[in-house]
Amino acid sequence: GPGAIFVDIGANLGYWSAFAASLVGPSGEIHAFEPVPAIFASLERLAAANPRHRFRLRNAACGAERGVVPMAVVRPSPDNFDNFDINIGSNSVLPHFLDHGADLIETIDVDLIRFDDHVAEVGLDLDRVGLIKIDVEGYESFCFDGMASVLARRGRRIPILCEVLTDPERDPLLDGARIVARLEAVGYTCLDATTLRP
């Protein structure tokens, strides 16, 4: 609602940030994180086109620690845009997550920060956060590692909408059951976003 804070981790082109800005209004805030510079430019254009709204943009991925890490990025070429088997926004910091083929992917170095550090640095008022949206293409467990203080805080649980990719045979970290158990251990009730059932 008006005046609330929306957090967009893995903001991509900014669709969710734009929609949330229309809900929180000029008195609210959008905190958006996108590590791919070419895609981050879209968020900067969104903020520039809406000067009355408060955007805090970070050209970084959220993870367990600060640093610089390699990220697999689907190359934005005409061939890729015409290929329905890939997603231009499907970029990942998780090693070997993307399997589109070396000719479609490039590796770039991106900044990595902890969400807990962002909260402290900008003085983010967690009581005003209406929703944290996370879409990080297999990097969910690392993202949650970097927001342990936010998850464990006393009082109201901050709602989280998270895409959880599950394929433990491919990578042990891609285990949705473990992520659900982790969140439930700190007081969350986890629901399937499509059915709102546990």
Side-chain angles (χ1 to χ4, degrees):
I5 294 172
F6 174 71
V7 176
D8 196 352
I9 299 177
N12 201 266
L13 295 172
Y15 175 85
W16 281 83
S17 288
F19 179 66
S22 73
L23 299 176
V24 304
S27 61
E29 296 177 17
I30 306 295
H31 293 246
F33 302 80
E34 173 53 49
V36 181
I39 298 175
F40 181 76
S42 177
L43 288 173
E44 292 179 309
R45 288 191 296 272
L46 172 65
N50 294 277
R52 292 180 59 234
H53 289 76
R54 297 178 187 166
F55 288 90
R56 285 187 178 262
L57 308 178
R58 297 210 65 163
N59 187 197
C62 288
E65 57 192 38
R66 284 182 177 269
V68 176
V69 294
M71 181 175 202
V73 176
V74 175
R75 193 175 290 114
S77 70
D79 290 340
N80 287 352
F81 280 110
D82 291 336
N83 186 339
F84 291 104
D85 293 328
I86 65 170
N87 181 342
I88 294 298
S90 180
N91 309 307
S92 182
V93 180
L94 187 66
H96 313 297
F97 175 75
L98 298 184
D99 57 3
H100 302 313
D103 57 326
L104 301 177
I105 295 171
E106 63 182 326
T107 300
I108 64 172
D109 287 335
V110 299
D111 288 331
L112 189 68
I113 63 169
R114 298 171 68 251
F115 183 67
D116 279 343
D117 291 344
H118 173 78
V119 169
E121 289 168 10
V122 304
L124 193 151
D125 183 355
L126 294 174
D127 290 326
R128 290 179 54 208
V129 177
L131 181 67
I132 297 173
K133 172 238 142 192
I134 302 172
D135 184 353
V136 291
E137 304 301 326
Y139 210 61
E140 297 87 62
S141 61
F142 295 98
C143 186
F144 285 128
D145 286 345
M147 58 191 307
S149 295
V150 170
L151 295 177
R153 71 188 289 264
R154 295 185 179 190
R156 176 185 74 98
R157 301 288 99 198
I158 298 172
I160 298 172
L161 177 63
C162 182
E163 177 187 64
V164 178
L165 300 177
T166 301
D167 191 350
E169 290 183 10
R170 183 175 172 191
D171 190 309
L173 294 172
L174 298 177
D175 190 341
R178 287 177 60 188
I179 290 175
V180 167
R182 174 185 191 166
L183 293 171
E184 289 179 339
V186 293
Y188 275 87
T189 300
C190 296
L191 307 175
D192 183 315
T194 58
T195 64
L196 297 184
R197 293 177 181 161

